[in-house]
Amino acid sequence: SYHCLFGVLVSMLTNAPDSASTADKSGFLQVVNRICFDEKDQNKNQKHGFRESENEREQNAHTVRKYCTTSTVSPDITHATECLITFASTRLLRSPICSPQLGFQDRKLDRACDMLYEICSAQGYKNMVKSVPHAVRDLHAVYVTLISLDGSPQTKRWRTHYLLLLWLGVLLLNPFDMNSLVDDGTTLVAGIVQCCTEALNEPGPSRQAAAFCISTTLTRQDVSIHFMVDLVHQISSLLADLGSLESQAPFAAMGAVQALAAIYKRGDRTLLQKLADRVFEAVRPCLLDAKYGTIRILKHFVIKLVARLGIAVLKPRNASWCYTRGKRTLMMDGFESCYEVSDADEETGQRASVGVEDERFKHIVESAVGVLLQATCDSETKIRWSAAKGIARIASRLPRGLADDIVKNILSIFTDPGSHHNDNAWHGSCLALAELGRLGILLPKRLPESLSALEVALRYEVRHGSRSVGANVRDAACYVAWAFARAYPPCVLGLYLPALIEKILMTAVFDREVHVRRAAGAALQENIGRQGIQAFGSIGIKLTQTLSFSALGSCERAYIEMTPVIAKMGYWEAAFAKLLRELVGHWDTRIRILSAKSLYALVNIVNDRSLLQDIARRASLVLAPLASGSRDLAFRHGALLALAHVMRALRTFDDNYLSAQLSTVVPSLESSRLYRGRDGDLVRIAACSFIAALASCSCPLNAPTQLRLLGSLDDSSGHALETVRAAAATAVRVLSMSYFGVVAYTNGAFNEPDEVLLSQTVFKYLDIVRKGTTASLARGSCNCLGALPAWLVVRDKSTLDVVFETLIVRAWRFNMVAGEKDAETRRGALVALKEIVTIIDSRHLIRKRALKLHASFVHNAARDFGLDKRGDVGSWCRICGLKAAVSLASVINPQCNLTSTSCKSRIVPCLLTRAARITADCGCVNFVLARPFLHVDSIFSWGARESQELCCSLLRHLSEKLDTVRKISLQLLPMLFKRAPAVPMRNEIEVRLFANGKSTELPSRLCTCLQLKGAYHSAILSGLIQSAGSRDSKMGSLFRHALVHHAMTEAKTQDNSDTSYLARSFVLKTRTLGSRVSKAPSVEERSRMHLPLLRCLTALIEAGALNPIFQTASRVHSDPNALGLDLVISLTLLASYQHSSDVKKICAAVDALLAYLSAAAVSAPVLAHRSLATLLQCLHSPYPRTRAYIAEQLYARLVELSMVRDCFVGMGPLSAAQELLCDINWGAEVNMKFFDDVIFRLCHILMIEKGHIQSQEAPPKVNHPECDELESYAYLVRVAGY
């Protein structure tokens, strides 16, 4: 029973190893169980009228489809199929054929058929029919159920039609006579043919099932041939009427041809020969008229039918001339005996006739061969594949001469220049060549020519614009190599095997497409396994293990990791030649870059000095002309990259002749203006990399050449693209370190650089940075300044001071470059300062310079909140400033960079050796003998104040809303604690932040740091406000919840000092927002904090975290400094700010006032009265959107207050105010005097003095002077530097 089958299914699903996940298996199991075995649940649903919704059906179908697609083993699916089929058999009709139940419906049967169809569509119907039962007792029931279904296969029950047709086709495979199975076999056959004929006209999958069913029916021995004759006549009429306007004609023709093709695949050859002429004449219009070729599916079935026609009229025999492999095993050596075609066999094969039993079939064979050869060049892949298989099968029944003509025709495609750009022809020819080899038609004497074609096909790639075609050709060529490995023994293929393996190996490692690499890997494994261990030895096993399926999935891994491995196995020369001759000029930029990296990996494993020199010569002879003179950008760029990576892998290079030749590559590029054009930036980057490679390997160059290359880098450093500028700065660093540094360091001391070198480097870059003609030049010069060696920057005190001053000015957050703020220039200046601080000696960082740098990093860069259309570009500068500040602290505190992180182990040795030391640079005492390490942390006067300011900045950014800034701050804070021991309250911070900490607890741990008070409290609160006030991230809600929870916890304590301190901080920050004094934060910082601060304040007031500040509200008149009064005054200033046009800010202030009104309604009536007056004042806003929002929110708050006891306003006034607020359209654009009257009525109702309410006018419009139409163009020219 199917209950037992389900038990087997459960065990298979539980224990079978599968690529599908456990959840997919469980879902699949539940769906099958629900359909087949939940009879109680189904009966209950049927009783109460419940029906499975369309969404549930789709969800069940998706679950089954997902599991069947991802599953790699078939027993579990097979048993599930048997379960569903067995269940479906219990739902079939068992009534007589003569009286079917028309309109039959069974939802359980439909559900089972739906799931069976999903399995069939995922696994294929050929696998499905193997699991369908073929018991004779089901034949009658399946047929009756099929003809009883209501509607056509186009209805929602088409899946049931599909499964029943497949099932009926399987049942008709029963070899017993039809009359012994049913009472009237002729009537049953006629009914089945009629049912299938109707289904053949459908456009859906039912057509395929009907073709299978009718093929199994008409190919039975006891079925009359007149049914097939009628089908042939139907095809003729349908193809003749195919050009009519009837939309159903193409589908009917497809179904008829598909059914006939299935019949010729399954039927008896003797019977099919009788209809060969009629069938060929029926499909002849499709072969001659081009209009039929536009219907791709019809043409595919016609090609199948023609191929099977040719096979049917030929004698089925094994030709004596065909190559046969015989019986072999993988363990045999295969070199002792091989079958060869004798001369007698060749002569016999040449003299043999076509091999047809009737001469009238010759034209069918000739036409079929011609059509199939032409179809191998078709644009549809399925048609080419069917044509290739048909050609091979027909050729296996032809004499040797005719079959050899077919082989020649196939091979001619690979040598025909006219077909080189026809990738379809190449692909079809490769498929045909593989099929000919598999069936033994391709004799060993044709192997040299075939292998030559295979070698060309493995490299086939034709560029079409910005893409290429040929991946399918290379994939088919790998299939040819796979087929040859299975067709020929080692004694035949052994002569060509080394070259073949080399080509396949290069394709497996270096091809661009992943499926081609994996196909080549499969062909390589097949050749290694089939050709015997004597052909490869142990290397074959290593190659198979190295080039696995997963290893070839990544292009980067194949190029960079696999190349050195195969090179060590003896394929170094092949890989080097492949990369050098073919891949460095590939059309894809990614492949060119990977090829250069692969060349570096190849050269890097060579240790012989002479071999390295020879490699350099070979690479230079091939790549140097391409790099300097090729007009093709791909070859120029690839050659430059390859040369750079080869020279970098050499490590040392002392060939003067090649050095002179290579030094002219970049000047030749510039003189020929080969940087211009599309993707010229790629050539610039490659040229910079090439110059850096020459310098890294210490290539012997004279001084003029060095300066000439430096000038080329200077030109690239001012490029508009950041990648080009970065590459130029990197090359400047390597060039200056390699050449200028060697000249400067003699006898253990630095020499003074000459004026020419300084004028070409430091002074030149300083001049460009000062002028700031264009933003690109300023950015590039900042990068180059940071890349210079230390001895050039610290030539004397004045030079270092000028460098610092220039870069500090450019790093200022309000600095202008070409009339605009430029974040990239500020970032470049900060990076340059960091690099200079890192490379120079710490004795140059005297107190004056250190304080300037500290102020630039902490007070300037860390507060850069600039915005533009790209977003928060100031975050770039903040990150660079924090990194530079920590680097500065590390450099000027050298005694802190010890292995031990213990505070005692760092300070005690310094106490033992401390002494009063006076530096000549600053002339001040750097050690305070009486109180060491209290305010001074090192001999370079790094004080506790600087450490505290830097720590405050890091803590503030640790609570910022940007993930990148938080991550960097979290990395830098432990470094600061390690390298600057005089950080105040360091132990408390470390305990609160890092003791048993998790990343998810960061908001809560930061809130606990608010208890530190002082500067730390202000800094952390500023960051928390920014994060907690944001509504566009998940972290914002986490920070907001943590801040509210911390404030609520502090408010519940008896000592409200922390709550008062927090409230005082909020009042101060709120007051600062409306301030215009110079001491207030910058405009960008205030604008950035405005909305988050008000949102945080609203959240805290609504949560009741600030309720303690209202407890002293009764003393507001006597205490003008009360926090509640200060807060409402600040909010009043923000909500009624004169001429404010930012609606969001006004609404945020109104929300805070509304929350304040609810919180103070009982405990602080005076403050509540003040906030209500401010809200009525805000109703005077000249903006309709603002008025409507305030009125709506005020009405909601008044409704809430009407339900509060002891409210400062009585129930009567509250109800009257609510009614008045509802009656007025506050969003209407009318005269403001109308709203003034309404607001004064509200004041009278709520007992508010009219003197507190003043009407506001709209902000005056600013009349901008008319601008010249050429002003924008003049500005563009000025910025571009022309």
Side-chain angles (χ1 to χ4, degrees):
S1 66
Y2 57 85
H3 291 280
C4 298
L5 288 174
F6 186 74
V8 179
L9 172 66
V10 172
S11 62
M12 292 299 299
L13 289 176
T14 306
N15 302 322
D18 207 313
S19 61
S21 64
T22 305
D24 294 339
K25 289 185 180 182
S26 177
F28 177 73
L29 177 62
Q30 290 176 4
V31 170
V32 176
N33 186 24
R34 192 182 307 121
I35 292 174
C36 299
F37 307 107
D38 289 350
E39 297 181 358
K40 295 181 179 180
D41 184 58
Q42 292 177 11
N43 295 333
K44 180 181 177 181
N45 292 342
Q46 185 177 6
K47 180 179 179 181
H48 293 280
F50 297 149
R51 294 185 179 181
E52 185 182 31
S53 65
E54 192 67 27
N55 292 334
E56 291 178 353
R57 294 184 61 183
E58 291 297 330
Q59 185 177 2
N60 292 338
H62 174 73
T63 302
V64 174
R65 189 187 313 118
K66 182 179 180 182
Y67 177 72
C68 294
T69 304
T70 57
S71 180
T72 57
V73 294
S74 57
D76 51 352
I77 300 177
T78 302
H79 285 282
T81 305
E82 294 176 358
C83 250
L84 292 169
I85 284 287
T86 307
F87 172 75
S89 66
T90 62
R91 312 299 303 178
L92 296 176
L93 285 175
R94 303 290 176 176
S95 59
I97 297 177
C98 58
S99 59
Q101 299 180 13
L102 297 180
F104 169 72
Q105 291 186 0
D106 190 336
R107 294 190 182 91
K108 297 180 181 180
L109 177 63
D110 294 340
R111 292 175 65 190
C113 289
D114 290 347
M115 300 305 105
L116 284 171
Y117 174 77
E118 296 300 336
I119 297 174
C120 183
S121 62
Q123 300 287 322
Y125 85 94
K126 294 182 181 179
N127 294 325
M128 176 72 180
V129 296
K130 298 177 183 179
S131 304
V132 175
H134 45 79
V136 176
R137 63 177 181 273
D138 293 332
L139 176 61
H140 174 271
V142 171
Y143 174 70
V144 172
T145 307
L146 180 62
I147 63 177
S148 300
L149 293 177
D150 60 329
S152 66
Q154 292 182 348
T155 61
K156 292 183 178 181
R157 308 185 68 190
W158 61 268
R159 296 181 181 87
T160 308
H161 280 88
Y162 178 88
L163 264 298
L164 291 177
L165 285 170
L166 276 184
W167 196 351
L168 188 59
V170 173
L171 292 172
L172 289 171
L173 291 174
N174 201 302
F176 300 104
D177 186 80
M178 187 66 69
N179 292 321
S180 65
L181 302 179
V182 294
D183 296 337
D184 190 358
T186 305
T187 305
L188 177 63
V189 170
I192 292 174
V193 171
Q194 177 65 26
C195 189
C196 292
T197 304
E198 294 176 358
L200 287 176
N201 300 331
E202 302 300 331
S206 298
R207 187 179 67 245
Q208 182 187 44
F212 171 76
C213 183
I214 201 172
S215 67
T216 58
T217 303
L218 299 185
T219 53
R220 292 178 59 90
Q221 297 294 332
D222 53 356
V223 175
S224 176
I225 195 175
H226 77 273
F227 289 110
M228 199 178 303
V229 174
D230 294 341
L231 183 61
V232 174
H233 287 309
Q234 181 184 358
I235 291 176
S236 301
S237 61
L238 286 173
L239 294 178
D241 299 338
L242 196 59
S244 63
L245 298 177
E246 187 180 355
S247 60
Q248 201 71 8
F251 300 109
M254 292 176 198
V257 175
Q258 184 178 6
L260 202 55
I263 290 171
Y264 266 82
K265 179 181 180 180
R266 188 179 303 276
D268 184 20
R269 176 175 169 271
T270 305
L271 178 64
L272 298 178
Q273 276 187 342
K274 298 178 182 179
L275 299 174
D277 281 332
R278 297 182 183 181
V279 174
F280 186 75
E281 292 300 327
V283 299
R284 183 186 290 273
C286 295
L287 306 179
L288 301 178
D289 197 343
K291 70 178 182 180
Y292 295 99
T294 58
I295 308 176
R296 312 306 302 171
I297 301 177
L298 176 61
K299 186 175 181 180
H300 181 215
F301 293 137
V302 168
I303 293 298
K304 282 179 174 290
L305 180 57
V306 169
R308 291 167 185 173
L309 269 174
I311 296 172
V313 300
L314 292 173
K315 295 179 181 179
R317 62 190 177 91
N318 292 326
S320 61
W321 56 271
C322 287
Y323 169 76
T324 56
R325 293 181 300 168
K327 296 182 178 179
R328 297 187 294 121
T329 61
L330 293 178
M331 298 304 298
M332 60 168 283
D333 53 16
F335 289 92
E336 296 178 359
S337 62
C338 293
Y339 175 82
E340 295 182 359
V341 181
S342 63
D343 296 337
D345 291 336
E346 291 187 6
E347 293 177 0
T348 304
Q350 292 286 356
R351 292 194 303 267
S353 62
V354 175
V356 295
E357 296 176 349
D358 195 339
E359 292 296 327
R360 59 191 176 92
F361 294 146
K362 281 188 177 181
H363 71 285
I364 296 179
V365 177
E366 294 174 357
S367 300
V369 172
V371 169
L372 293 176
L373 287 174
Q374 186 178 3
T376 56
C377 304
D378 195 86
S379 59
E380 194 74 20
T381 302
K382 294 190 296 184
I383 296 177
R384 295 195 298 269
W385 182 250
S386 297
K389 291 189 290 187
I391 285 177
R393 290 167 183 170
I394 291 177
S396 65
R397 302 188 179 194
L398 290 175
R400 185 182 188 281
L402 298 179
D404 194 60
D405 290 340
I406 294 177
V407 174
K408 287 181 182 179
N409 188 284
I410 295 296
L411 292 174
S412 65
I413 297 294
F414 300 102
T415 57
D416 184 13
S419 64
H420 180 71
H421 292 277
N422 189 355
D423 61 302
N424 296 326
W426 278 66
H427 181 250
S429 300
C430 287
L431 293 177
L433 197 63
E435 292 298 323
L436 290 170
R438 288 181 66 243
L439 296 180
I441 315 303
L442 194 64
L443 294 182
K445 76 171 192 177
R446 287 288 183 186
L447 265 181
E449 189 177 357
S450 301
L451 291 175
S452 299
L454 173 61
E455 179 181 350
V456 178
L458 285 172
R459 302 195 311 268
Y460 182 86
E461 189 171 23
V462 178
R463 185 175 179 181
H464 287 179
S466 59
R467 62 181 182 88
S468 72
V469 296
N472 57 341
V473 177
R474 300 193 300 274
D475 184 81
C478 296
Y479 174 56
V480 174
W482 180 87
F484 282 1
R486 300 174 65 88
Y488 301 101
C491 62
V492 175
L493 199 60
L495 182 62
Y496 316 101
L497 193 60
L500 177 62
I501 290 298
E502 183 178 300
K503 302 302 179 184
I504 300 174
L505 182 60
M506 296 302 105
T507 303
V509 177
F510 296 123
D511 198 272
R512 179 176 179 267
E513 307 298 335
V514 59
H515 64 90
V516 179
R517 292 196 303 271
R518 285 173 168 169
L524 180 68
Q525 294 176 7
E526 194 70 22
N527 277 273
I528 292 174
R530 295 281 178 178
Q531 299 306 314
I533 194 172
Q534 295 184 11
F536 296 95
S538 60
I539 295 179
I541 303 299
K542 293 180 180 179
L543 280 175
T544 303
Q545 294 174 346
T546 302
L547 303 177
S548 61
F549 181 85
S550 59
L552 297 177
S554 171
C555 191
E556 288 78 7
R557 183 179 179 185
Y559 269 81
I560 300 174
E561 297 182 13
M562 298 294 107
T563 303
V565 177
I566 66 171
K568 295 177 181 178
M569 297 181 187
Y571 295 97
W572 189 97
E573 185 62 33
F576 186 78
K578 176 77 173 180
L579 293 168
L580 199 65
R581 300 287 181 180
E582 299 179 21
L583 295 178
V584 294
H586 199 272
W587 63 271
D588 191 354
T589 305
R590 183 173 67 104
I591 298 300
R592 295 198 297 270
I593 296 174
L594 290 176
S595 300
K597 294 180 179 179
S598 185
L599 276 173
Y600 174 82
L602 276 179
V603 179
N604 197 38
I605 63 176
V606 179
N607 297 321
D608 192 350
R609 178 77 175 176
S610 60
L611 288 178
L612 289 174
Q613 297 298 327
D614 182 64
I615 291 170
R617 295 189 194 94
R618 291 175 58 187
S620 301
L621 290 176
V622 175
L623 299 176
L626 294 175
S628 59
S630 177
R631 308 304 299 182
D632 189 348
L633 182 137
F635 280 96
R636 191 163 66 250
H637 174 249
L640 278 171
L641 278 180
L643 265 179
H645 283 78
V646 169
M647 298 303 294
R648 188 177 292 112
L650 294 177
R651 294 179 289 275
T652 57
F653 185 71
D654 54 1
D655 192 326
N656 294 324
Y657 175 75
L658 286 180
S659 299
Q661 182 182 3
L662 295 175
S663 63
T664 60
V665 171
V666 175
S668 299
L669 282 172
E670 296 177 349
S671 60
S672 302
R673 298 183 178 182
L674 296 180
Y675 284 152
R676 299 186 176 184
R678 185 180 179 182
D679 291 335
D681 55 305
L682 297 177
V683 182
R684 283 188 177 272
I685 294 174
C688 295
S689 179
F690 174 65
I691 294 174
L694 289 179
S696 65
C697 67
S698 302
C699 186
L701 301 176
N702 53 30
T705 304
Q706 297 171 10
L707 294 178
R708 177 69 179 83
L709 295 179
L710 181 61
S712 300
L713 296 177
D714 292 341
D715 293 339
S716 298
S717 66
H719 199 268
L721 292 181
E722 178 66 25
T723 53
V724 180
R725 296 195 300 269
T730 303
V732 166
R733 181 188 306 277
V734 180
L735 184 70
S736 58
M737 292 291 183
S738 299
Y739 294 117
F740 307 147
V742 173
V743 176
Y745 193 76
T746 56
N747 298 326
F750 286 107
N751 297 330
E752 288 289 335
D754 55 3
E755 294 296 333
V756 177
L757 184 57
L758 287 174
S759 63
Q760 293 293 324
T761 53
V762 180
F763 297 154
K764 179 180 179 180
Y765 300 143
L766 285 174
D767 186 58
I768 296 175
V769 173
R770 283 198 203 97
K771 292 180 179 179
T773 309
T774 62
S776 299
L777 289 175
R779 299 169 190 169
S781 298
C782 288
N783 295 338
C784 292
L785 274 176
L788 292 177
W791 73 281
L792 285 176
V793 179
V794 296
R795 179 206 179 194
D796 51 31
K797 300 177 184 178
S798 60
T799 303
L800 183 59
D801 288 335
V802 171
V803 170
F804 278 156
E805 290 293 338
T806 304
L807 292 176
I808 288 174
V809 169
R810 283 302 177 199
W812 186 43
R813 63 181 184 271
F814 303 113
N815 186 258
M816 310 288 283
V817 178
E820 291 184 352
K821 293 182 180 180
D822 187 63
E824 284 89 345
T825 302
R826 301 197 300 271
R827 179 181 61 182
L830 291 169
V831 173
L833 286 171
K834 175 181 176 296
E835 295 295 333
I836 294 174
V837 166
T838 304
I839 62 175
I840 65 176
D841 196 290
S842 56
R843 60 187 177 85
H844 296 287
L845 293 173
I846 59 176
R847 179 172 179 79
K848 180 180 178 181
R849 294 171 182 164
L851 292 180
K852 286 185 178 180
L853 291 172
H854 174 77
S856 178
F857 297 152
V858 177
H859 299 296
N860 172 60
R863 295 181 179 178
D864 191 339
F865 300 99
L867 299 172
D868 63 7
K869 60 183 180 181
R870 295 168 294 182
D872 189 2
V873 294
S875 62
W876 307 341
C877 302
R878 297 200 297 273
I879 291 174
C880 293
L882 294 176
K883 290 181 178 180
V886 175
S887 298
L888 177 64
S890 176
V891 170
I892 64 179
N893 292 279
Q895 75 277 13
C896 300
N897 299 325
L898 302 176
T899 305
S900 176
T901 58
S902 172
C903 179
K904 180 179 179 181
S905 62
R906 292 198 302 267
I907 297 178
V908 172
C910 298
L911 287 173
L912 297 177
T913 57
R914 64 188 178 90
R917 304 176 64 179
I918 302 177
T919 60
D921 294 327
C922 61
C924 64
V925 177
N926 291 308
F927 259 53
V928 181
L929 300 181
R931 303 176 67 184
F933 293 99
L934 184 59
H935 295 290
V936 178
D937 199 24
S938 73
I939 60 172
F940 300 103
S941 301
W942 178 263
R945 177 182 177 183
E946 286 76 21
S947 297
Q948 185 182 25
E949 291 174 349
L950 178 54
C951 184
C952 288
S953 182
L954 288 173
L955 289 174
R956 175 178 181 177
H957 290 89
L958 185 59
S959 55
E960 275 281 359
K961 69 175 183 178
L962 295 181
D963 296 338
T964 306
V965 179
R966 278 202 312 274
K967 181 180 178 180
I968 296 299
S969 302
L970 192 59
Q971 294 173 355
L972 294 177
L973 195 59
M975 297 171 59
L976 175 67
F977 291 155
K978 178 181 178 180
R979 299 175 181 179
V983 179
M985 306 179 72
R986 184 190 63 184
N987 292 333
E988 291 83 350
I989 298 175
E990 286 181 340
V991 169
R992 284 176 168 82
L993 287 182
F994 303 114
N996 299 324
K998 298 180 181 179
S999 58
T1000 55
E1001 298 178 359
L1002 179 61
S1004 301
R1005 290 178 175 273
L1006 280 170
C1007 290
T1008 59
C1009 294
L1010 291 174
Q1011 300 173 353
L1012 299 177
K1013 306 293 181 61
Y1016 292 131
H1017 183 279
S1018 177
I1020 296 172
L1021 184 60
S1022 298
L1024 287 174
I1025 288 173
Q1026 189 62 42
S1027 297
S1030 64
R1031 296 178 178 177
D1032 53 355
S1033 64
K1034 182 179 178 181
M1035 287 300 297
S1037 61
L1038 294 178
F1039 273 100
R1040 183 164 53 254
H1041 175 74
L1043 180 60
V1044 172
H1045 181 266
H1046 171 76
M1048 289 292 295
T1049 304
E1050 295 297 334
K1052 293 178 181 178
T1053 58
Q1054 295 181 358
D1055 185 10
N1056 295 327
S1057 59
D1058 292 336
T1059 303
S1060 301
Y1061 196 90
L1062 181 64
R1064 191 176 297 108
S1065 300
F1066 270 99
V1067 170
L1068 180 61
K1069 291 182 180 298
T1070 307
R1071 186 186 301 168
T1072 304
L1073 290 181
S1075 175
R1076 292 186 177 181
V1077 297
S1078 58
K1079 294 182 179 180
S1082 63
V1083 178
E1084 292 86 356
E1085 189 172 357
R1086 278 185 291 171
S1087 177
R1088 185 172 183 263
M1089 190 180 291
H1090 197 119
L1091 286 176
L1093 175 60
L1094 293 175
R1095 289 169 182 168
C1096 288
L1097 187 59
T1098 303
L1100 290 173
I1101 295 176
E1102 289 181 344
L1106 301 183
N1107 285 344
I1109 68 173
F1110 302 123
Q1111 296 176 359
T1112 58
S1114 58
R1115 297 181 288 108
V1116 292
H1117 293 290
S1118 61
D1119 188 7
N1121 296 322
L1123 291 177
L1125 181 60
D1126 290 343
L1127 183 58
V1128 74
I1129 291 174
S1130 302
L1131 291 176
T1132 302
L1133 182 64
L1134 294 178
S1136 60
Y1137 195 79
Q1138 295 295 328
H1139 307 309
S1140 175
S1141 60
D1142 195 332
V1143 176
K1144 289 185 178 180
K1145 294 180 180 179
I1146 296 176
C1147 293
V1150 168
D1151 289 338
L1153 282 169
L1154 290 169
Y1156 193 97
L1157 175 64
S1158 298
V1162 177
S1163 60
V1166 177
L1167 298 180
H1169 193 274
R1170 182 68 176 267
S1171 63
L1172 183 58
T1174 304
L1175 289 171
L1176 295 180
Q1177 169 71 28
C1178 293
L1179 280 176
H1180 274 290
S1181 175
Y1183 305 108
R1185 178 183 170 187
T1186 305
R1187 291 196 304 269
Y1189 179 82
I1190 296 173
E1192 179 183 354
Q1193 298 300 320
L1194 181 59
Y1195 174 81
R1197 292 289 176 171
L1198 293 180
V1199 172
E1200 294 179 3
L1201 291 177
S1202 63
M1203 295 181 289
V1204 176
R1205 290 185 178 182
D1206 300 330
C1207 182
F1208 73 102
V1209 181
M1211 291 293 298
L1214 287 176
S1215 301
Q1218 295 171 25
E1219 183 178 356
L1220 185 58
L1221 285 171
C1222 289
D1223 293 341
I1224 304 300
N1225 182 11
W1226 296 94
E1229 296 185 1
V1230 296
N1231 192 351
M1232 288 299 298
K1233 292 182 179 180
F1234 171 76
F1235 292 113
D1236 292 344
D1237 296 338
V1238 176
I1239 294 172
F1240 290 151
R1241 289 170 58 190
L1242 285 173
C1243 292
H1244 177 72
I1245 293 173
L1246 297 175
M1247 295 176 291
I1248 296 177
E1249 297 180 4
K1250 297 182 180 180
H1252 297 294
I1253 309 300
Q1254 297 179 1
S1255 178
Q1256 299 185 28
E1257 298 179 356
K1261 296 183 179 180
V1262 180
N1263 296 323
H1264 298 281
E1266 296 184 0
C1267 299
D1268 187 5
E1269 62 179 359
L1270 298 178
E1271 179 61 28
S1272 60
Y1273 178 74
Y1275 173 74
L1276 176 63
V1277 173
R1278 185 167 61 254
V1279 171
Y1282 292 100

